[in-house]
Amino acid sequence: MTAIELSAAVRSGERRAVDILDEHLARIEERDGEIHAFNLVTADLARSQAEAVDSAVAEGRDPGPLAGVPVAVKDNTCTRGIPTTCSSRILDGWLPPYNATVVDRLAAAGAVTIGKTNLDEFAMGSSTENSAFGPTRNPHDTSKVPGGSSGGSAAAVAAEFAPLAIGSDTGGSIRQPAALCGVVGAKPTYGVVSRYGLIAFASSLDQIGPFATTVADAAVLLESIGGHDPRDSTSIEAPAPSLLDVLERGVDGLRVGVLTELAGGPGGVEGISPDVIARTAQAVAALEAAGAEVSEVSVPSATLGLTAYYLIAPAEASSNLSRYDGVRYGLRVDASTTGEMNTASRSAGFGDEVKRRIMLGTYALSAGYYDAFYGKALKVRTLILRDFAVAYEKVDVLVTPTSPTTAFGFGDKTADPMSMYVNDVCTIPSNLSGHPAISVPFGVGDDGLPIGVQILGPAQSEPIIFSVAAVLEDVASKGGAR
Amino acid sequence: MTWSIEPTLPEGWELVVGLEVHVELATATKLFCGCANRFGSEPNTNICPVCLGLPGSLPVINGTAVKYAMLLGRALQCEVRPSVMARKNYFYPDMPKDYQTTQYDQPTNSDGELMLADGFTVGVERAHIEEDTGKSTHVGGGGRINDAVHSLVDYNRAGVPLVEIVSHPCLDTIEHAKAYVSGLRDILLAIGVSDARMEEGSMRVDANVSVRPVGSEELRTRCELKNINSIRSMGRAIEYEALRQIDLYSNGESPRQETRHWDEAAGRSTPGRSKEDADDYRYFQEPDLVPLVPSAAEVAAIDDAMPALPSARRSALRQLVPAVSVSVEVIATLVDRGQDELAIAAIGKGADPEKVVTRLQHDLAVDDFSKITAGAFADLIRMETSGELTATQAKQVLSEMVETGGEPRPIAESRGFEAMPTDDLAGLVDQLIADHPEEWSRFVGGDDGDRKKMQGFFTGQIMSSTKGQADGRAVADLLAQRSAG
Amino acid sequence: MSDRITRDEVIHVARLARLELAPDEVDAFTEQLARVLEHAADVESLEVDDVAPTSHPLPLANVYRADEVTPSIDRDEVLAQAPFAEDHMFRVPPVLGEEP
């Protein structure tokens, strides 16, 4: 059952939230030992929330649009009194004294928080192999990675541990694992969902978003967690977008562009596998068949996105992660001075990828290199925004693959950081521009593993990109993606 | 305001001082969260996820703090421009995020100035917004940071809004440096954005000091003096440092660029332990906050709401009183006490300016003078000037006016005050001289000290026998007359 | 070994970031960072003097909070998370060096 169906059944009194919870806990019990989607299953909290939902229904009150729906929450999202680790040893034992805004909003919508999901340490990675607590496995093929960094959330939804999950997306960390696990994942417009309580990786790029098995479920989740939050200065002063109402409107007359540089076109990025390119082309053809006007559109600076991202994100991260110093919370390795204690704690608490990005970011910001690296990257960001603005004069949405390949094997890309980083090549431009994007499953690759197609749109175009995704979902469900 | 004799540097050298003044803004809450901005609370009671920099927390800037900063900027004649917050990255346990949220290349206020009472203009490079750090107590080793066994950190102060006012290195004397800091404090109090208490640390001064040969335009290596906790201490610290540097140059050495800590008790500064890390703060724009872009209308509204500033008030009063008899310091004192308005109003009603200033300066020094109206005060001064009241009587009437807010004439009448006719007074003086021949001979033949002392004696006797109805000046005139005759 | 970043620079950057690297880690990071910076050459060589930087994807400005006190949190809850606390404060080893 979808989240929407479950919620309807709970609200009508047809099903009890605690029973739904038990079914999901049973599936977790059965299979999460193998998958390792969760860092922590919060069964007690979930049960008390489910009981409260059932009482509300019994008393004739409406618990909200997510009534009784189990939701898995990425473990970089603060939950009061519940360990929040970022899959890092440095946050060992930390119990946040507050909830993230999205956690409060989930509770207000009647959702049941079922657990905290695994991720690449501090969301830095594309395979969830960088977790200090061990990798998550792809439910479609446990010899493969689930993608990352929100691999735990993607796998939890794919394995039906929860119908919905919360992820965060800094360079593709929702969309890429969604594609690799065969589920729907969206990165909303920057500022649509509050970042308050999301442990920062790269503040100007991070955005929380939904995972679900259907576009409609992703829409209802985003409607529940989105909207202005006065605790986040970068929050857009508008209510959450209305998505469900417009999901069925189709693509008749919509102008759809294929983003040449990210879809295997000439002068574009290399390394996108032929089956992924083929599926993307098929998706575009399906949209054309559904009434869309299709064209090829160039966004030249999109090819520079990867480099700009791997300067901007580490730069911000190097500063955001300074606070893990052993003084106030988390891991402390003692030493004879505070400076040495800071160094010992950080050296022991952070994994290699986190150290690498802190080093890269520190370097990019340091005296003598700022202009050549960080400063240039900020200008590339301007170019990308300009090029997208030009593109969106011609088309309403752009289509690209989500990930260059299907799910890959453990250890395949860990030796060379750059080979891992290129996984984000199609997803990064939206983070740099702040624009929304959604990945929707569309068939499988030559290896039988899921492929995701990505729909991009201008700022606050969620209603449009979700409705395009709904059309592709419909086509795929009718066997049109093979 | 402190005024002291300027210590002279050795011949041929001059001082170059730039000051960095940190001012805590008197807002109700901190810069980025709703925790109380309060001095002296129990440790770690004014803290929350934001000011503790807990993972996931985000800052939202205090609109009042920004407004106060702009008000201060305009009071210092700064340009108020669109600005952004930035991160200054360095590790320090007092700083919960291990970066300070401050302003870097786009500060809110820049290019201002402050004119001192003597007309010297101090250029203000910038006045930017930033957050304060927490506070450490160093345990063991006598509380000195470098000998401590361990330190204890209290984050109540972390995130308190500050404005850092950076002057150009243009201060040429210790007196000007002192007057500049006093002037800043006057402005802060006048516009009400800070309580500016150096002893509580709500106003903190760091001094960048260098010296150079007179006539040279070069800027030599400077040292930054910290731990200055009063204006007086700043003067001593700058003097010590200037002499130290001159000494080095005279011996063919040069000072090193360093931070030095002023030890007020010892009267000397010691070099700070040099930092492990080079100064590479990796500034970049704070991505969790958005730009501050005041409209022209907002800046105009700030200007409209600007109260009269001390310098303007001083010159308004200055124009009404004779420069020969009333000094710059007296004018400044009256303005500091907030008596300039009363003085200007009384002078406007025809009271003698010099007398007005004298009465305010000497006889209303500590009193709450809020009950006294300008009209009543002007009447009192006129009565004194016309001889209706003696100086002593005028003082007594004034003190009753302070209490009751009454008019001077009825008060004088109720006390039976009428100035004694000079003929009666002459008789009393002659009698007194006859009764005290020894004192009189000391008055007539003694040195200046004796004469002064004896004048006090005779005047006191007369005042006491007339219950203060005699005019002190008339007594003095009579004594002078008799001794000359 | 690439000339994009030297071992000494890696050691310097690690010190700025308060990270301690074993000699073999210094080698590995030097190599890996050099490769990333190699890729950054496309950005480094761009002629973009006339392009303004974008620090933030949204054109937001003037987001202010009212100067109203909101409750602070319980210090015991916070101090319970501290590796070492004493007298209601966070305890750290001696602090060397000066506050900048």
Side-chain angles (χ1 to χ4, degrees), chain A residues 98 195 197 233 319-320 323 325 328, chain B residues 55-56 59 87 89 96 98 155:
Chain A
Y98 75 107
R195 292 185 296 118
S233 306
S319 174
N320 284 329
R323 69 191 68 195
D325 60 6
R328 291 158 299 274
Chain B
R87 293 186 185 178
N89 293 286
D98 288 298
Y155 292 107

Side-chain angles (χ1 to χ4, degrees), chain A residues 43-194:
Chain A
D44 292 343
L45 169 70
R47 189 165 304 283
S48 68
Q49 288 176 328
E51 283 165 356
V53 166
D54 288 335
S55 308
V57 172
E59 289 160 16
R61 285 180 287 121
D62 181 3
L66 300 179
V69 179
V71 180
V73 175
K74 190 176 181 180
D75 201 18
N76 59 352
T77 311
C78 288
T79 41
R80 180 166 188 170
I82 292 167
T84 299
T85 67
C86 286
S87 289
S88 179
R89 303 233 174 264
I90 201 110
L91 277 170
D92 185 32
W94 184 54
L95 303 177
Y98 75 107
N99 273 337
T101 296
V102 289
V103 170
D104 283 339
R105 290 196 176 167
L106 284 174
V112 169
T113 306
I114 197 164
K116 306 292 295 284
T117 59
N118 196 15
L119 63 149
D120 285 296
E121 186 178 1
F122 282 98
M124 296 176 187
S126 307
S127 67
T128 319
E129 290 170 283
N130 295 331
S131 167
F133 310 129
T136 296
R137 295 180 178 280
N138 192 318
H140 292 274
D141 176 348
T142 54
S143 71
K144 306 287 196 219
V145 302
S149 68
S150 311
S153 287
V157 171
E160 298 181 45
F161 297 158
L164 301 175
I166 295 292
S168 66
D169 189 314
T170 306
S173 279
I174 291 174
R175 292 160 286 159
Q176 184 257 13
L180 268 50
C181 289
V183 298
V184 176
K187 183 202 87 78
T189 304
Y190 186 87
V192 161
V193 181
S194 169

Side-chain angles (χ1 to χ4, degrees), chain A residues 312-463:
Chain A
I312 292 170
E316 293 183 13
S318 70
S319 174
N320 284 329
L321 272 65
S322 290
R323 69 191 68 195
Y324 306 101
D325 60 6
V327 175
R328 291 158 299 274
Y329 44 79
L331 183 75
R332 164 120 144 215
V333 176
D334 238 311
S336 57
T337 69
T338 288
E340 288 167 17
M341 181 275 285
N342 296 152
T343 302
S345 302
R346 292 165 62 78
S347 302
F350 290 136
D352 277 352
E353 182 61 25
V354 171
K355 287 180 186 169
R356 190 151 42 236
R357 299 215 198 178
I358 289 175
M359 299 274 296
L360 183 57
T362 304
Y363 178 79
L365 286 175
S366 66
Y369 300 102
Y370 181 100
D371 290 339
F373 293 113
Y374 186 71
K376 279 273 172 69
L378 296 184
K379 293 182 170 190
V380 169
R381 211 166 172 179
T382 307
L383 297 180
I384 288 174
L385 276 163
R386 274 188 203 167
D387 286 356
F388 271 125
V390 170
Y392 289 130
E393 283 170 11
K394 298 181 208 136
V395 295
D396 300 304
V397 298
L398 291 164
V399 178
T400 75
T402 305
S403 165
T405 65
T406 57
F408 45 91
F410 290 95
D412 284 2
K413 301 187 177 184
T414 46
D416 173 14
M418 225 38 235
S419 72
M420 187 68 87
Y421 297 171
V422 298
N423 278 291
D424 302 330
V425 69
C426 298
T427 45
I428 277 171
S430 314
N431 298 87
L432 291 169
S433 67
H435 295 161
I438 185 169
S439 176
V440 61
F442 200 78
V444 295
D446 297 341
D447 51 10
L449 290 170
I451 284 175
V453 169
Q454 183 181 220
I455 322 295
L456 315 178
Q460 295 180 276
S461 66
E462 280 86 348

Side-chain angles (χ1 to χ4, degrees), chain B residues 19 21 114 116 176-186 188 198 203 205 230-231 234:
Chain B
L19 296 178
V21 180
L114 175 60
L116 306 182
H176 279 152
K178 288 176 164 181
Y180 170 69
V181 175
S182 299
L184 281 181
R185 195 174 53 189
D186 291 347
L188 291 164
M198 283 185 83
M203 181 167 178
V205 180
S230 69
I231 291 179
M234 177 185 75

Side-chain angles (χ1 to χ4, degrees), chain A residues 192-213:
Chain A
V192 161
V193 181
S194 169
R195 292 185 296 118
Y196 191 79
L198 169 68
I199 298 179
F201 161 15
S203 310
S204 77
L205 303 164
D206 295 342
Q207 185 61 198
I208 289 175
F211 282 100
T213 54

